[in-house]
Amino acid sequence: QKVIGRTLRFVAHANGATLVYLSNLHAGAPAADATADKPLLDNFSKLMNHLIFTGLEKKPQLKMPPQTDHSGPLMVPAGSDKLRDIGRPRGTVDDNLAQGMMEWKELCDRMFPPVDPEGASKRRARFVIDDQYKDEEIDVIKDRKMQELEQYRKDQEAAKEAARKKLAQMKAAQEAAKKEKAGAKAASGSAKASSKQRAPSSSGNEGK
């Protein structure tokens, strides 16, 4: 449970995503007692309303701090977690997300071996919303939000590509400036050496 929780936290944080799962509601409490979970459920509803109706442009204002205790429900809004708090399986914590992702994947594969894909495909249930529960207004909002999300991803990719090109241009300009400076220094040195070589010859002619 702790491994799955920390793995999901790492994946969500590395991708700038919000992590929410409520599978451990009522943990350590009588099954009939839901009062302890009411603040968390209210917080969950507030977060969902924000993501659906406000979007990713603004940070959600939640009543509770991020929930990162792996023995209970997890609710970690995007940007509220830290790599040093999540940790890494091999102990070393740095900004190498690819290495961290590989370590968590290896640990999960070792603790939870993949199932037979053929058997899994036979057991896989298809999630279908019954027509009586469909809401045209909600579907329109959902489609619009999905389009906004896709556009946001495209904008982020374009911004990253522009930043990469700008960085490459800056590096190229710096290299060109270094070469130009080195060339000017070499030319100046050659001119000084040539001047020194001509000086004795000139004074000798004057003596004659």
Side-chain angles (χ1 to χ4, degrees):
Q1 183 173 325
K2 185 175 181 180
V3 169
I4 289 294
R6 291 174 68 192
T7 301
L8 292 174
R9 283 175 62 191
F10 187 92
V11 173
H13 186 62
N15 290 278
T18 294
L19 172 63
V20 177
Y21 72 73
L22 307 176
S23 58
N24 287 329
L25 282 175
H26 314 303
D33 184 13
T35 57
D37 297 323
K38 188 177 185 307
L40 186 62
L41 290 174
D42 290 343
N43 216 41
F44 173 75
S45 298
K46 191 175 181 65
L47 177 61
M48 291 299 104
N49 285 332
H50 177 88
L51 294 176
I52 294 171
F53 297 107
T54 303
L56 302 172
E57 295 81 10
K58 295 182 179 180
K59 184 177 180 180
Q61 300 297 323
L62 304 178
K63 296 180 180 179
M64 297 178 64
Q67 304 296 303
T68 58
D69 182 3
H70 305 98
S71 62
L74 291 185
M75 185 176 297
V76 190
S80 64
D81 217 340
K82 294 180 176 62
L83 292 175
R84 65 172 178 271
D85 293 338
I86 301 170
R88 290 259 287 273
R90 298 178 185 173
T92 302
V93 178
D94 53 30
D95 294 331
N96 190 337
L97 298 179
Q99 179 65 26
M101 201 78 74
M102 185 184 71
E103 291 179 15
W104 282 114
K105 182 180 183 303
E106 288 176 351
L107 180 60
C108 283
D109 288 345
R110 189 165 65 249
M111 295 189 67
F112 312 101
V115 297
D116 177 21
E118 293 184 0
S121 62
K122 293 178 182 178
R123 295 190 300 270
R124 188 178 298 129
R126 185 170 177 264
F127 181 74
V128 178
I129 299 178
D130 195 277
D131 289 341
Q132 64 177 322
Y133 299 115
K134 289 185 176 180
D135 189 315
E136 184 177 349
E137 184 177 352
I138 296 297
D139 291 340
V140 170
I141 294 174
K142 176 200 162 199
D143 291 341
R144 186 174 74 245
K145 290 298 179 182
M146 292 302 294
Q147 291 173 3
E148 291 176 359
L149 177 60
E150 185 63 27
Q151 185 60 46
Y152 174 79
R153 288 173 175 168
K154 290 180 179 179
D155 292 343
Q156 290 297 307
E157 287 298 324
K160 287 180 182 178
E161 183 63 26
R164 280 195 292 266
K165 289 182 178 179
K166 186 176 181 180
L167 182 61
Q169 289 174 354
M170 289 175 61
K171 287 183 176 179
Q174 289 175 354
E175 289 296 328
K178 286 181 181 178
K179 290 181 179 179
E180 185 177 353
K181 187 176 180 180
K185 188 175 181 180
S188 175
S190 299
K192 288 181 180 179
S194 177
S195 175
K196 288 181 180 179
Q197 289 175 357
R198 287 197 301 269
S201 173
S202 168
S203 57
N205 290 335
E206 289 178 359
K208 291 178 181 180

